[in-house]
Every structure is written in structure tokens, then in C-alpha cells.
Amino acid sequence: MPTNFTVVPVEDAKDSSNNAGAAVSLDKIFHEEDNEDNLQGDDNQRESSPFISSDNDGETYYEGKNMALFEEEMDSNPMVSSLLSKLANYTNLTQGVREHEEAENEDGVRRVTVVVSQMGTFIGVYLPCMQNILGVILFLRLTWIVGTAGILGSFAIVFMCCICTLLTAISMSAIATNGVVPAGGSYYMISRSLGPEFGGAVGLCFYLGTTFAGSMYILGTIEILLTYIVPTATVFKEGEDAARLNNMRVYGTCCLVLMALVVFVGVKYVNKLALVFLSCVILSIMATYAGVIKTLIEPPEFSVCLLGNRSLKNEKFETCTKTELWPLFCDSEYPNATCDEYFILNNLTELQAIPGLLSGVIKDNVWGNYGPTGMLIEKQTQPSVPVQETSNDISKHYVFNDITTYFTLLVGIYFPSVTGIMAGSNRSGDLRDAQKSIPIGTIMAILTTSFIYISCVVLFGACIEGVVLRDKFGYSVKKNPVIGILAWPSPWVIVIGSFFSCCGAGLQSLTGAPRLLQAIARDGIIPFLQVFGHGKANGEPTWALLLTVGICEIGILIASLDAVAPILSMFFLMCYLFVNLACAVQTLLRTPNWRPRFKFYHWTLSFLGMSLCLSLMFISSWYYALVAMVIAGCIYKYIEYRGAVKEWGDGIRGLSLNAARYALIRLEEAPLHTKNWRPQLLVLCKLDTDMMVKHPRLLSFTTQLKAGKGLTIVCSVLEGTYMTRGNQAKLGERNLKAAMAAERTKGFSHVVVTSNLRDGFSLLIQSAGLGGMKHNAVLMAWPVGWKQARDSSARRNFIETVKETTAAHQALLVAKNIDHFPSNQERLKQGTIDVWWIVHDGGLLMLLPFLLSQHKVWRKCKMRIFTVAQMDDNSIQMKKDLQMFLYHLRLDAVVEVVEMHESDISAFTYEKTLVMEQRSQMLKQMQLSRTEREREIQSITDVSRGSIKRKTPSGVGAPPLNTLCIPEDEAQLIHDRNTASHTTMTDKAAGATPDRVHMTWTKDKLVNERNRQRESMAVKDLFNMKPEWEHLNQSNVRRMHTAVKLNEAVVKKSQNSQLVLLNMPGPPKNMKGDENYMEFLEVLMEGLDRVLLVRGGGREVITIYS
């Protein structure tokens, strides 16, 4: 019957309440209808569901009733409307600081965080990237780089670095637009794309880079403070270079502590000052461009004084005259004083420091001018009279190089000025449309800053005198920053602007680095970082801030901006390298989840960016690059071995899948050569009732045999159906994995559920493995209690397993007394591994002891090989041949030939055979009576079913057919013989249906059958059926004789050995001898502790050839 629904639009709270009431009324109606249906129909109860709820939740009930077809799946599969509602309300806070800005008001009540309006591309991405990219290197080092490397060299440096960041930004845009990027920025992108190992390694490298960036900005701040703002505020005076470094250390440490306190008190103040810092940067750049334009009209009045062609520090004199400089170069003020030779022979020249754009100075600054430490800065085109040497006291009045300069050093110093491209992706949660804003904002910021840097390189080279450009600290222009004397209206614009810019950048580094470390720690992939995931009550990463301050202090103690810059260049370059790698891997794998909205990317661009990053690492500093890579490698291996197991759907896992698929396809192209043969084991493990591994030593022996090499598949079989025992199978598989981990068995585990164990073993032997990675040997434990078992299933299963492995050309290893085998922790100090080589079946008997001896448990055991000689064999020649064979096989073993002379069959053998055949006859008789009962039950069932089929059901309400009760064991017999009836057994638990019939025995028939069995047993007394010795099966007697004689020889020689390996005889080809096969094997192994029966797979597994 169709159900009519009325949809009421919801507009306000009042309407919502009315609708809820309407839903309640509908709920009551439906409940009444259900009750009526239940009264009229059967007694089945209505299934409960969270979407069909009580009167209190009418809306949910109304919705669930509309989707009743899917109500059972609602717990695991939510409705689309619910899913979309959750996605629409999703909020994502960045690694920034707004989530920590909760405070308490005057009443002590916690104030709720105010949600800030979403930002667009300009405010949210473009300006933060600009602020992070432009900074200390532009104001303090770019002019020096241009003067040292020349315009062409500087252009090459800037172009390489900018192209590197542009390519990285393209890759980053693709990753960032392939989903939401939560807190952690680049760390999150790399870890979710390349996995926890790469993510943790590169995340820590990025953290170290950000931390050392804080050191660099603080050193820049102190350099500006002590060089340009308050040069007199120095603590150390004597020794200019050493004093400068010590002053940097003292003031840098104080500045670091002050900034750390600001960050600790509240990072919201840093955010509020961010706009001020950005304004300082923009104002300084505008002042620089204004100064360049002013040089066209009127060049600045700054001049530089040259003595000969050498640049002088003009902080101690006002005018460039010899009278003014006389006290500096002569020992007294009098005309007859002794003066410096170079001062006497050369004239003074005063040059304009900023000749201007139209002066043509650009021609002098095209090429570089590198030099060692202490080299005086000279103008090459200026005439001078050379002298032999200059004293140290005099040379301090000249401007000279404080470090040795070369191209690769300048690359390392410059690269930090192009970092900061991750600022937009770190704020993805604050953006109105992150997938549109991040690519546009980041790439536009890189293009803008690249234009600024390249234009500055050209303009600096075209406007400023070369000797002034090479003056790093501006000593030749009265200790003004070189970019400052170019700026308009005053150098103080650059000084103040760069000072606040460095302060802001340092504060942001001290704010971002602890949160990055906190994000890594909270991921739980690096155990020793767990403590840094905690912080104050509001989430502030206090411990991470302390560690950051400590690492930052290391950079400050270096006390040189030029030495710190290459360090952080390494870490940033490594981070950018892996961003490019992540994009390239994801693109090449073409995983279904790789659907970035940013389409202008290609894997070749990512590989080019990756190559450029790697090249720049070694160009700037090869030893720093090696150190950074070693640090990242150590972190990678640590996470791999000790870190938490995370599954993030990363690209490396996809790469592994592709590589595995390719390798598997290649393995199937050609058959495996004997030289590459190794036992690929299928281990048949037994689980107890608690789904725990019954024989863990079987896994230990697997580990000792494999030593982590090759394929190992550990399997178990449960009897039943997967619908009823699926949870037990999963529990068993988890326990198998735990046991494998405990025994250090590397491989795969699997638990299958089949109707009987026999089918399960057959299924595993046929289908375990994949492609070329299939097992070639089966390892199992000897069924110890097969004699005591009530039925013969254990014996039959074992024999069928032996037959199937033989048919599949697979080797079989059967371990007797597996619980007595040594564990992985034991070390056998002495003893032997004895091999009894009766027949040759591929050489597996030779190979197994060698593989065992590679493991530390068996390493000190010697190998002995016994072979059996018959009457007509030459024992001496056999021994020589076997020794030569082992020599060619490169195996060290003691060879011994055991002669077994033909003898009469002993009475003991006859007695053994007699007992064996009596037991077999008894088992056959018991099985026959059981089979007759099954046959009788089946015939009654068939007759009854036939009569039912001929009847026509009278209707749904007709009473069910008369049923009687079957004994439980008889019903189980039918169930075993008819495996298709599993669904019937399931239906029995759920309740009877009209189509279901229970066929059983009547009471009279059951009594008659029991009486008949008693009479049969009375007539046929099994123990009075002893055949005489002469009536015994002679084949069985001969087999028993062989087993007894061989066992005597083995026990005599190998009773005290640590392990005995025996050729396993094959089962009889006819079914009649199956029941005696196990007896022969028992006799063969009698009196031995650890035995490994080995049956080859029919192919050679060992060769004498290289």
C-alpha cells in the first residue's frame, strides 16, 4: 500500500517545532499500524533502528521511515543529507594561532572564540607570502651579492632560486588543491602524499629550517641595531671581529628570550602586529624604487673616498683630504712623521657613491669580483701605485672582505630570501576558497617578489658604485646600509623598516615552528616527540616553544648571518625537494584520489623542480647538504623501525603497489632457475578454541629456516561457514599476525573458513600466493593425536595433504614434536643436524640444513649426511662420490654410509604389522556401522521430501507439517554429507518458515536401530578377529620391516642429534593402504625427539654450477 507524505518547508524555530509535532503524530499513527500488523501476522518483532526512533525524535523517525529499505545500513552508511550537512559545517583552523586566543573575562567565564570572516586571495595568501619572502637578505645582503657576483652572476642566482620556488609552488598548488590541508602546512602535504616516514623526516627538516630562520632574523635584527642604530651600545670593545661576534651573541640571546616571552604570553599580539611589519617591508621597497627614480633627477650626495684604488672607511673623517687622513696613516701630526708607503705614493679620489641610472656604472658591475678573506676592496679601473705589503694597523682603515667569497656561497646566503612560499597553504582553513586562492596567491606572490629581486639586481648594478656594492656593512658611506643611501627620502626609512621587518619575521618563526613540531608530535609517528604535543590549557605548545628556543640559540651562538643562512637553505631545499617528489609520484601513479583542481602542473615540472632543489643543495654547500640528508635519513629509518604504523593512503604505498605488480608480472614471464630457488613456505598453522596459535614454535622454525628472505604465508582453516564464523576468522588472523610479530616471522597471514578442513587445506595448497610469488613448499606439524582421535579425519586430512602437495609438485616439510624445537632466543652450543638421504628428490634435504645453519640458533651445529647402502653397493666409493658432490655444492658436512644388510623379518615386525591390521579392521567396522546409519537417515529424508513436493500448500496460514526431533549427532552427519544445507541451519536459528520441514526418526525406528547395533557388535567381536601371521598382507610386512630396520639405524646414529631430517616416503597410490601409512611413519620416527620429514617437489633445487 503506498504511503503519502507531506513535505513542510522549515523557515524558523516556530515552524520547526510545529513540524516536529506533526512528525510525532505521524510516528504515533505508524506505531499503531505496526501494532495492528503484528497482532494479525506472525510473532516476528519489528527490528529496531536508530533512524526509526521513539516519539521524542519524530524527525529522525520520519526520515528513517522514508528510507526503510536502507534502515539496517544507517549505522555504518549515513544518509547523504547527513553527510553533506557535516561537510558544510566543517571548520579547519590553521597551525596559526586563532584557536589559542580563548581567554577569560573579568567574571572568570571562558570567552568563546569569535569566528573571523573568511579571507580572500589577496589578504589570505598573497600578502602573507610577500611578507615571508621579502626580508632580511634583501635589505642587508642583496647589494653585497650584486657587487661580489656582478649583475650576471646575481641574475643567475636569483633566477635559479626563483625558478626553484616557482616550480615548487606549482607542485604545492596541485597537492594543496587535492583536498583540505589542515594544520601543519607543508608537513601535512608531504606526510599524506609520501607517507609517515618521509613526512616525519621532511617535517622535522622543515621545523629545523623554520627554527634556524628565526635565528637568522634575530641576527639580522641585532646586526641592524648594533651597526646602524646604536653602534656605541656594545658590550665587548677590544678585537673588532671577535668583539662583533660576541656582541651579536649577547644581544641575540637577549632578543631571543624577549621574543619567546612575547610568543609565550600570547601570539595574538604577533598577529595584530603582522600588518605593521608588512607595512614596513612595503614602505622600504617603495622608498628604494623612489630613490632609483630620484637618481635620474638628482643623485644622492653620498660619496666614497679612495686612496689609490682602495676604498676607505670614512667614519673617522669628514672630508677626503690627506690632511684629514694624516693621523690615520702617519705616526705623528708633524710633516716629518713616518707614514705608510701606499699613503705617500697614491692620491686620494672622491667618487660619487650613487652615480645614478644614466651614469654608465652598469658596465663596471656586470662581472663578479670574488676574493679571499681580508682582500681589500679596490676599484679596478682606478690608477694606483702598488707597494709590497701593508701593516695590519693600517689595513683596518680600508674596507675589506670579512669572508672568502665564491659563487656557491652566495647561492646559499641568498636562497633564504625566496623561502616563505608555504604561508598560503598554512592558512588554508581561513580562506574563502582555498582551492582557488592558494595557487593564484602563491604564484602571484612568487612572480611579484621575483620581479622585485631581479629589478633590484639590475637597478643596484646600474645605480651604485662597485666598491660601495661590495662594502657589506656600509663602512665607506659613514656606516649606512648601502640600500639605505639609495632610498628616498632618508636611509633611516630602510634602517627602521628592515629592523621591524626582521623583528616580525623572527616572531613569526618562533610562532610557527613550535606549532609545526606540535603537529608532528600529535601525529604520533615519532615516539620520542610525544611530550612536545602537549602544552598549556589553551593548546599553546609550551614544551615545543622551549625546544625551539634552545635550537634557535644554537644559530645565534654561530653569530654570523652568512654562516646561518646556508644551514636553513639546506632544510628548506630538502622540504621543497620532497614537495616536488610528492606531486610527481602522485601524478605518475594516477591514483583515483588524485584530482587536484589546479590543472597547470605536470610531472616533468615536478621532476625539474626536484632536480633543481637537489642541485642547489650541493651548489650552496655540499657538506651541509650531506649533513641534512643524513639527519633526514636517520629520522626516516627511526620512524620505519620504531614509529607508529600509520596508513594515510600515501603515494609511496601506491608506488610500492605498482612496483609489486610490475615485479609479479615479470616473475611469470619465465620459469624460476634452480640457482634462484628458495623455499617459499605455506605454513599450515592450527588454532585452538580461543583462536590462539596452538604451536608457536612452528613460526619460530619458519623464521629460522627463512631468515626473513623469500615468501612466507601462514594460514589456518576453520570449519563452518564464513557468515557464522567470519568474526572468529578475523580474530584468528589478528592473533596469527601477533604471533608472527612475536616470533619475528616476516610474511603474510590468512584464515579461511570452509565446510571441512580437507577442502580448506586443498584450497590453500592450490591458490595461496599471487602470480610468480606462490609457495613451493608446505610446512606443517605432525598430527600427534591421530591414533587417539574418535574419527579418522585427522589421518585422512594429513594423507590427502601429502597427496595434493605431491600432485602440485610442491615440497612438504612435516615437523614432529614441533613444541620441542628451539625458540628464536635459544642458542644451540653444540650438536649435529643429521640428514638421512635415502632417495634423491631434488636436493632439498641438502639445502635445508644449510639454510638453518645461517640462523644464529643453529649456527654452531655441524651437518652430517647419512646414506644407506645395499648389499650390492660399494660403500667406500659411495662415500667418496658423496664427498665430491658436497664439495661441488660448497657444503661442509661429514659423510657416513650406513650398510643395511638383508635379514630375516623379525617377530617384532610381524607383531607390529598384526597390531596395525587389527586396528585397521576395527576402524573399518566402526566406520561401516556409522555409514549404515547415515544411509538409513538419508533414505528416510529423501522419501519424506518426495512426499512433500507432491503436496500443494493450502495457504500462508496453514499449520506446519508434523516434525519430530533428530538426534544431534545424526543431524550433524547429514549436515556434513550435504554441505549445501548450511543455509538451512542458519534459518533454524532465525525461526521456522512454512517451507521448512524437519525430517527425523520415529521413536520405534530409533529403538530398533539401537538393538540391531548391539546384536551386530555381539556377533562380531573385533578383538577375536586376529588373523594369523601367515594371513598377513605381505606388502605391509615388507614395509613394516623397512621402517623398523631404518628406524634402528637412525636411532643408533642420530638419537642425540639436535635435528634429524628424513626422506618422507610417499603415500600408497591405492586407497586401501591409507590407514597403514601413518603407522609406517610413526615406526620410522619412533625414539627420535626432533624430526623433520622432507618430501621434495619433483624438481632440482640445488646445483653445482655458479
Side-chain angles (χ1 to χ4, degrees):
M1 183 180 72
T3 305
N4 296 323
F5 294 98
T6 303
V7 180
V8 181
V10 179
E11 295 182 359
D12 52 16
K14 185 177 180 180
D15 291 338
S16 299
S17 62
N18 293 337
N19 293 337
V24 168
S25 63
L26 279 173
D27 187 21
K28 292 179 180 178
I29 293 170
F30 283 127
H31 269 287
E32 291 173 2
E33 291 180 358
D34 286 335
N35 293 334
E36 291 175 4
D37 291 340
N38 289 336
L39 289 174
Q40 294 176 0
D42 56 10
D43 293 334
N44 293 339
Q45 296 181 355
R46 187 167 62 92
E47 296 184 11
S48 61
S49 169
F51 289 88
I52 302 178
S53 57
S54 62
D55 296 346
N56 297 331
D57 193 8
E59 275 187 8
T60 310
Y61 170 73
Y62 183 89
E63 181 183 40
K65 197 70 177 180
N66 197 20
M67 290 293 171
L69 186 61
F70 301 94
E71 61 187 12
E72 294 182 357
E73 302 177 24
M74 293 298 187
D75 289 335
S76 57
N77 302 331
M79 290 196 55
V80 175
S81 57
S82 305
L83 178 66
L84 294 177
S85 175
K86 290 177 182 177
L87 291 176
N89 296 328
Y90 177 75
T91 58
N92 174 28
L93 296 173
T94 70
Q95 77 175 39
V97 292
R98 196 183 315 106
E99 68 268 32
H100 304 308
E101 289 183 12
E102 298 179 357
E104 294 182 358
N105 58 18
E106 295 176 357
D107 299 331
V109 181
R110 180 171 291 278
R111 187 178 66 221
V112 180
T113 306
V114 179
V115 179
V116 182
S117 60
Q118 298 289 294
M119 294 182 290
T121 303
F122 185 76
I123 299 294
V125 181
Y126 182 77
L127 289 182
C129 285
M130 289 280 290
Q131 181 182 2
N132 279 267
I133 294 172
L134 300 171
V136 60
I137 301 295
L138 171 64
F139 300 119
L140 296 183
R141 292 293 183 269
L142 189 58
T143 54
W144 172 71
I145 291 173
V146 173
T148 305
I151 295 175
L152 291 180
S154 303
F155 181 84
I157 293 171
V158 173
F159 183 77
M160 277 195 306
C161 296
C162 291
I163 287 295
C164 176
T165 54
L166 180 63
L167 295 174
T168 304
I170 292 173
S171 299
M172 184 200 69
S173 299
I175 299 174
T177 57
N178 190 50
V180 180
V181 180
S186 61
Y187 158 70
Y188 185 90
M189 289 190 294
I190 295 171
S191 61
R192 268 58 177 181
S193 297
L194 293 179
E197 292 87 2
F198 279 109
V202 181
L204 279 181
C205 286
F206 191 50
Y207 163 74
L208 291 173
T210 308
T211 305
F212 277 106
S215 302
M216 185 186 72
Y217 291 129
I218 292 173
L219 289 174
T221 304
I222 302 305
E223 184 176 310
I224 294 169
L225 180 70
L226 296 181
T227 307
Y228 307 121
I229 299 179
V230 279
T232 57
T234 55
V235 178
F236 300 93
K237 303 291 184 183
E238 65 283 346
E240 188 169 340
D241 289 337
R244 184 172 62 85
L245 295 177
N246 289 329
N247 286 325
M248 295 281 281
R249 293 184 181 107
V250 172
Y251 280 95
T253 303
C254 297
C255 183
L256 173 63
V257 172
L258 184 62
M259 287 184 176
L261 287 175
V262 172
V263 173
F264 180 77
V265 169
V267 286
K268 57 183 178 181
Y269 303 114
V270 179
N271 279 0
K272 290 178 180 178
L273 292 173
L275 188 60
V276 176
F277 300 143
L278 179 61
S279 303
C280 294
V281 175
I282 294 175
L283 186 63
S284 300
I285 294 173
M286 291 177 64
T288 304
Y289 281 112
V292 170
I293 295 172
K294 185 177 178 296
T295 60
L296 295 171
I297 305 168
E298 181 185 358
E301 297 179 354
F302 288 95
S303 60
V304 58
C305 186
L306 300 181
L307 178 59
N309 62 354
R310 300 176 181 177
S311 177
L312 294 172
K313 298 178 180 178
N314 65 356
E315 56 185 331
K316 295 184 178 179
F317 58 90
E318 293 296 329
T319 57
C320 187
T321 61
K322 284 210 171 185
T323 307
E324 194 80 24
L325 296 174
W326 189 274
L328 300 177
F329 290 91
C330 300
D331 56 1
S332 70
E333 299 178 358
Y334 301 104
N336 58 352
T338 304
C339 297
D340 180 61
E341 184 181 3
Y342 190 85
F343 177 73
I344 296 172
L345 296 176
N346 290 278
N347 296 322
L348 289 171
T349 308
E350 190 171 13
L351 297 178
Q352 206 167 6
I354 312 291
L357 273 176
L358 303 179
S359 63
V361 72
I362 189 172
K363 292 183 292 184
D364 298 331
N365 294 330
V366 170
W367 305 107
N369 198 336
Y370 303 102
T373 303
M375 187 189 80
L376 300 178
I377 294 178
E378 301 173 343
K379 184 175 175 62
Q380 300 297 332
T381 58
Q382 188 73 18
S384 66
V385 179
V387 294
Q388 293 297 324
E389 58 182 28
T390 305
S391 65
N392 292 331
D393 293 336
I394 300 299
S395 62
K396 66 181 182 181
H397 301 300
Y398 299 110
V399 182
F400 54 88
N401 286 345
D402 63 332
I403 59 173
T404 301
T405 55
Y406 42 90
F407 179 80
T408 57
L409 172 74
L410 300 183
V411 174
I413 292 175
Y414 173 76
F415 188 81
S417 65
V418 296
T419 60
I421 61 175
M422 301 290 183
S425 63
N426 292 346
R427 292 169 171 79
S428 61
D430 302 331
L431 303 175
R432 191 180 302 115
D433 186 358
Q435 308 210 351
K436 176 183 177 183
S437 298
I438 289 176
I440 296 175
T442 305
I443 293 175
M444 288 304 297
I446 290 174
L447 293 177
T448 304
T449 53
S450 300
F451 171 77
I452 292 173
Y453 283 129
I454 291 174
S455 62
C456 283
V457 167
V458 176
L459 294 176
F460 291 165
C463 294
I464 305 175
E465 181 62 49
V467 290
V468 179
L469 283 173
R470 295 197 295 278
D471 185 3
K472 183 187 292 185
F473 302 105
Y475 291 134
S476 61
V477 285
K478 298 191 181 300
K479 267 201 170 179
N480 284 305
V482 176
I483 192 174
I485 62 173
L486 176 64
W488 180 85
S490 168
W492 283 100
V493 177
I494 297 294
V495 171
I496 302 300
S498 59
F499 178 79
F500 282 111
S501 170
C502 292
C503 284
L507 283 171
Q508 287 186 338
S509 296
L510 290 179
T511 302
R515 280 164 183 77
L516 177 58
L517 182 62
Q518 188 181 43
I520 299 172
R522 285 182 173 175
D523 261 346
I525 58 174
I526 305 177
F528 68 83
L529 290 182
Q530 294 291 333
V531 65
F532 299 110
H534 308 294
K536 292 195 295 187
N538 62 348
E540 283 289 334
T542 310
W543 294 108
L545 177 62
L546 290 175
L547 179 65
T548 303
V549 170
I551 298 175
C552 201
E553 177 64 19
I554 296 174
I556 289 174
L557 292 178
I558 297 174
S560 172
L561 189 147
D562 301 322
V564 172
I567 297 176
L568 65 101
S569 295
M570 291 303 111
F571 293 123
F572 278 118
L573 279 168
M574 183 166 287
C575 178
Y576 296 164
L577 183 149
F578 281 101
V579 169
N580 285 296
L581 176 63
C583 181
V585 167
Q586 297 278 27
T587 306
L588 290 174
L589 288 178
R590 298 179 181 175
T591 52
N593 191 53
W594 179 246
R595 304 185 300 274
R597 290 201 175 276
F598 180 75
K599 301 298 181 184
F600 305 99
Y601 69 93
H602 196 267
W603 66 268
T604 53
L605 295 178
S606 299
F607 266 114
L608 181 61
M610 186 176 66
S611 305
L612 193 53
C613 287
L614 189 62
S615 303
L616 286 175
M617 284 177 68
F618 283 94
I619 284 173
S620 55
S621 177
W622 64 268
Y623 45 89
Y624 278 160
L626 290 178
V627 170
M629 295 175 81
V630 167
I631 292 174
C634 292
I635 298 169
Y636 178 94
K637 298 306 290 184
Y638 177 81
I639 296 173
E640 186 178 25
Y641 285 106
R642 296 294 302 277
V645 178
K646 300 285 183 180
E647 176 50 54
W648 288 331
D650 51 87
I652 293 297
R653 189 171 179 82
L655 195 63
S656 301
L657 289 172
N658 273 6
R661 178 184 62 85
Y662 174 77
L664 287 172
I665 293 173
R666 286 293 304 274
L667 280 175
E668 279 201 318
E669 291 179 358
L672 189 69
H673 194 272
T674 303
K675 289 188 291 186
N676 294 325
W677 195 95
R678 65 172 65 246
Q680 317 283 14
L681 289 181
L682 171 68
V683 184
L684 298 179
C685 220
K686 191 173 183 180
L687 300 178
D688 58 17
T689 54
D690 296 328
M691 295 296 114
M692 302 300 292
V693 178
K694 194 169 183 180
H695 301 294
R697 290 293 172 87
L698 196 62
L699 299 179
S700 304
F701 184 68
T702 304
T703 304
Q704 296 157 19
L705 189 62
K706 301 289 292 179
K709 304 294 190 299
L711 176 71
T712 303
I713 307 174
V714 182
C715 295
S716 187
V717 180
L718 299 182
E719 202 167 3
T721 62
Y722 191 75
M723 297 297 294
T724 56
R725 303 199 67 181
N727 291 332
Q728 288 181 316
K730 293 174 183 176
L731 175 62
E733 194 158 336
R734 287 196 297 270
N735 292 339
L736 272 182
K737 288 181 180 177
M740 290 172 66
E743 300 296 339
R744 297 181 181 177
T745 305
K746 296 182 180 179
F748 310 98
S749 61
H750 192 45
V751 177
V752 296
V753 184
T754 55
S755 57
N756 55 69
L757 298 178
R758 165 78 188 78
D759 292 343
F761 293 147
S762 177
L763 175 70
L764 291 172
I765 291 171
Q766 293 178 60
S767 61
L770 181 64
M773 285 295 286
K774 291 182 70 69
H775 64 279
N776 54 26
V778 177
L779 173 63
M780 60 188 299
W782 174 260
V784 178
W786 69 274
K787 283 187 177 181
Q788 290 76 27
R790 295 180 60 184
D791 57 5
S792 59
S793 60
R795 174 177 58 81
R796 289 201 313 271
N797 289 340
F798 178 81
I799 295 174
E800 290 297 326
T801 303
V802 176
K803 288 182 176 180
E804 288 204 353
T805 53
T806 304
H809 300 291
Q810 296 174 6
L812 178 63
L813 312 178
V814 181
K816 181 192 176 186
N817 294 334
I818 186 63
D819 294 329
H820 296 175
F821 277 57
S823 66
N824 290 329
Q825 286 71 38
E826 294 182 41
R827 301 291 182 269
L828 300 178
K829 301 297 184 184
Q830 58 184 0
T832 59
I833 301 176
D834 289 354
V835 177
W836 283 82
W837 193 22
I838 313 299
V839 294
H840 178 66
D841 54 358
L844 185 58
L845 273 173
M846 308 288 188
L847 189 60
L848 291 177
F850 169 75
L851 295 175
L852 283 174
S853 64
Q854 304 300 305
H855 197 272
K856 48 194 172 185
V857 174
W858 304 89
R859 189 164 292 161
K860 294 186 178 181
C861 293
K862 303 296 181 182
M863 178 177 170
R864 295 193 302 178
I865 296 183
F866 297 90
T867 187
V868 177
Q870 302 296 329
M871 284 295 293
D872 53 350
D873 293 330
N874 187 338
S875 303
I876 299 175
Q877 188 61 39
M878 279 182 65
K879 185 172 183 179
K880 289 181 179 179
D881 293 342
L882 185 52
Q883 286 173 338
M884 182 59 65
F885 181 57
L886 292 177
Y887 176 77
H888 288 305
L889 289 177
R890 290 91 63 201
L891 294 176
D892 296 326
V894 177
V895 175
E896 190 169 340
V897 177
V898 178
E899 296 183 354
M900 289 184 63
H901 302 293
E902 290 189 10
S903 60
D904 295 334
I905 299 174
S906 64
F908 176 74
T909 303
Y910 279 112
E911 189 67 29
K912 278 269 187 185
T913 310
L914 183 60
V915 172
M916 178 184 72
E917 292 197 356
Q918 286 176 351
R919 185 177 182 279
S920 299
Q921 289 183 23
M922 182 178 67
L923 289 174
K924 281 181 181 179
Q925 188 62 38
M926 292 176 64
Q927 184 65 28
L928 183 62
S929 63
R930 190 180 181 89
T931 305
E932 286 177 354
R933 283 186 291 165
E934 290 181 36
R935 203 171 291 160
E936 183 70 23
I937 296 168
Q938 189 65 37
S939 64
I940 296 172
T941 305
D942 294 340
V943 172
S944 301
R945 283 180 179 165
S947 64
I948 291 168
K949 288 180 181 178
R950 287 192 294 272
K951 290 184 179 181
T952 304
S954 58
V956 177
L961 296 174
N962 293 331
T963 61
L964 293 173
C965 182
I966 306 177
E968 187 175 352
D969 56 341
E970 319 300 345
Q972 186 62 36
L973 284 171
I974 299 176
H975 176 73
D976 288 342
R977 293 177 64 86
N978 301 281
T979 56
S981 65
H982 284 302
T983 54
T984 307
M985 302 297 288
T986 307
D987 294 338
K988 182 178 178 182
T993 61
D995 294 334
R996 177 110 186 270
V997 179
H998 289 220
M999 297 311 302
T1000 62
W1001 288 8
T1002 63
K1003 184 177 180 181
D1004 295 339
K1005 198 165 190 62
L1006 184 62
V1007 172
N1008 293 336
E1009 177 63 18
R1010 284 177 178 170
N1011 293 333
R1012 188 178 65 81
Q1013 288 178 14
R1014 290 195 188 100
E1015 291 172 2
S1016 174
M1017 291 298 292
V1019 173
K1020 297 178 181 179
D1021 186 2
L1022 296 179
F1023 292 100
N1024 292 328
M1025 294 170 59
K1026 288 186 178 181
E1028 298 299 328
W1029 283 359
E1030 59 270 13
H1031 296 144
L1032 291 174
N1033 187 322
Q1034 292 304 308
S1035 175
N1036 288 341
V1037 174
R1038 289 197 315 273
R1039 291 171 185 269
M1040 183 63 74
H1041 176 66
T1042 304
V1044 169
K1045 296 295 290 181
L1046 190 56
N1047 175 256
E1048 289 176 357
V1050 174
V1051 170
K1052 181 180 178 182
K1053 297 285 186 179
S1054 304
Q1055 189 171 18
N1056 297 322
S1057 64
Q1058 298 290 358
L1059 179 64
V1060 177
L1061 280 78
L1062 280 169
N1063 275 121
M1064 183 179 183
K1069 294 182 180 179
N1070 57 347
M1071 298 292 293
K1072 295 180 180 179
D1074 282 357
E1075 62 271 10
N1076 302 325
Y1077 177 65
M1078 300 283 283
E1079 292 279 1
F1080 295 141
L1081 295 182
E1082 283 279 11
V1083 172
L1084 185 62
M1085 298 184 292
E1086 193 172 359
L1088 300 173
D1089 186 21
R1090 299 176 188 147
V1091 182
L1092 185 67
L1093 293 176
V1094 180
R1095 182 163 177 78
R1099 64 160 293 172
E1100 292 293 333
V1101 301
I1102 194 167
T1103 178
I1104 64 174
Y1105 300 103
S1106 61

